[in-house]
Amino acid sequence: MNTFLKIFLFNRLQKKYWGRELEDNVPRASFSELFQSDSSLLAFLEDLETLGVVLVSDVPTEVDQIHLLSNHIGHMKKTHYGLMWLLPDPNNLAYTGDSLDLHTDLPYLQDKPGIQLLHCIKQFTSEGGDTQLADGFSAALKLQEMNPKYYEILTQTMVDFVDFGIEDGRKFYASWRALRLALFPLPVIHCNMLRCRLDAEGTVKNINWNQMTRDSCFGVSSEAATLWYEATLTFRDIIQDENNLITRKLQPGDLLVFDNLRVLHGRTGYNAMQGERRLQGCYWEWDTVSSFRRVLRREMTA
């Protein structure tokens, strides 16, 4: 293998952008095979890094299965919600039967979770409770093509996110103040600021999109705020367009793994009084997962 190819394979992989066409072609993996076959495990990790989403099937419908997989690959990332969380729970809108708009998780943290896992233990059997996904990187590229001005606004305007509440009896008040001079500024579309005006492909670092936790404080002029809202409404229309959206009702034994810095996720509403929907979730860090992927690739190509 030549040196260039080794560098390409061992470091960050090229992203593959998608829309609704992926709905029937979401990469799949077998839970048991991930423990038995390094080639299956490598394919899972590479699909996750390039497409941002993988559906793992045949997971036992018992709690803590994501703990087993996490230990096999690395470890879970702990947040103020703990290492794992179990839905439903009344302390967060995500734990109710209300519909959830597309969003990324915990944008108010400086160290945001890179990967999210959602294990379906029990699904609501009537209408509703469907998971929705959209490729935020693809949406950013489309916005740049449609309206470069709006794209620039969403890469330049700093946004504040905040969340507070109680988890396991402990109060939390998480807040990210997106100062322009901060080491990690926080616009909706976060990219390499030295290149984002030239092209978005390969430069978009992550998407920060969560209207449920966006702070009421907005440190820009009224004119800039008006333009920002116009730009965000256009971006919202792109991610919610049926041609860009995947809708799938997770079944018991399904485990959805996706890039929380790229893939926006949501859920259609359901009547929680008519049935139960039980999911367990956790987060991984990209540094750990990418490192393990490189180790596997190096050992298999040595």
Side-chain angles (χ1 to χ4, degrees):
M1 184 182 296
N2 62 52
T3 302
F4 175 80
L5 186 56
K6 283 185 177 180
I7 293 174
F8 175 79
L9 289 174
F10 294 162
N11 291 284
R12 185 173 299 174
L13 301 182
Q14 186 69 36
K15 306 296 184 185
K16 297 178 182 178
Y17 304 107
W18 49 267
R20 187 178 181 181
E21 73 282 352
L22 193 68
E23 187 165 272
D24 296 325
N25 299 287
V26 173
R28 300 184 70 96
S30 165
F31 187 71
S32 60
E33 288 183 5
L34 293 180
F35 293 89
Q36 299 168 3
S37 168
D38 283 351
S39 60
S40 296
L41 187 56
L42 179 61
F44 161 72
L45 296 175
E46 289 184 342
D47 284 337
L48 181 60
E49 193 165 337
T50 57
L51 288 165
V53 58
V54 181
L55 182 65
V56 181
S57 58
D58 302 321
V59 184
T61 53
E62 303 169 356
V63 297
D64 296 345
Q65 299 303 306
I66 52 177
H67 194 181
L68 297 177
L69 184 58
S70 299
N71 286 344
H72 187 55
I73 291 176
H75 54 81
M76 292 181 286
K77 175 182 176 62
K78 190 172 185 178
T79 70
H80 52 285
Y81 288 113
L83 284 175
M84 294 182 289
W85 64 92
L86 193 63
L87 313 181
D89 188 326
N91 72 338
N92 189 291
L93 179 62
Y95 302 165
T96 72
D98 293 342
S99 62
L100 292 178
D101 290 338
L102 292 169
H103 63 283
T104 57
D105 271 17
L106 315 191
Y108 43 77
L109 298 182
Q110 178 173 325
D111 186 16
K112 300 164 187 51
I115 300 166
Q116 182 169 171
L117 288 77
L118 289 175
H119 174 212
C120 181
I121 298 172
K122 186 175 183 179
Q123 181 58 278
F124 182 69
T125 56
S126 298
E127 183 178 354
D130 297 7
T131 296
Q132 296 181 317
L133 303 171
D135 185 350
F137 287 2
S138 177
L141 289 173
K142 290 179 180 179
L143 177 64
Q144 186 190 38
E145 294 171 359
M146 291 172 53
N147 195 315
K149 179 181 178 180
Y150 283 171
Y151 171 81
E152 183 173 358
I153 288 172
L154 293 191
T155 62
Q156 298 290 327
T157 305
M158 302 300 108
V159 184
D160 297 333
F161 293 94
V162 64
D163 191 23
F164 54 88
I166 301 176
E167 183 69 21
D168 290 334
R170 176 173 295 182
K171 296 180 180 180
F172 65 86
Y173 193 136
S175 177
W176 179 254
R177 317 308 301 184
L179 302 177
R180 180 167 296 277
L181 297 180
L183 182 60
F184 302 104
L186 202 67
V188 168
I189 301 173
H190 186 191
C191 63
N192 183 335
M193 302 307 288
L194 297 178
R195 294 182 54 203
C196 66
R197 295 191 181 191
L198 301 178
D199 75 272
E201 188 170 4
T203 69
V204 179
K205 297 173 67 66
N206 61 276
I207 302 295
N208 302 295
W209 182 267
N210 193 320
Q211 298 302 320
M212 296 172 285
T213 63
R214 185 166 59 83
D215 199 348
S216 58
C217 177
F218 199 8
V220 299
S221 67
S222 58
E223 294 80 7
T226 298
L227 289 173
W228 184 86
Y229 278 108
E230 291 176 358
T232 55
L233 288 173
T234 301
F235 185 68
R236 181 204 62 182
D237 289 343
I238 293 173
I239 61 176
Q240 292 183 341
D241 187 289
E242 62 179 13
N243 294 316
N244 303 321
L245 193 64
I246 288 178
T247 300
R248 187 184 192 96
K249 188 159 188 171
L250 298 178
Q251 297 302 308
D254 285 346
L255 169 59
L256 189 66
V257 187
F258 57 94
D259 185 343
N260 181 58
L261 303 179
R262 169 185 176 180
V263 177
L264 298 97
H265 66 288
R267 185 199 65 224
T268 62
Y270 68 98
N271 190 336
M273 300 297 293
Q274 295 182 353
E276 184 181 8
R277 182 178 185 269
R278 196 176 192 208
L279 278 72
Q280 188 172 35
C282 74
Y283 299 113
W284 290 345
E285 294 180 307
W286 266 118
D287 284 341
T288 300
V289 172
S290 296
S291 173
F292 187 55
R293 188 265 300 169
R294 295 186 194 104
V295 169
L296 284 176
R297 170 58 68 179
R298 182 175 60 186
E299 292 178 347
M300 293 179 66
T301 57

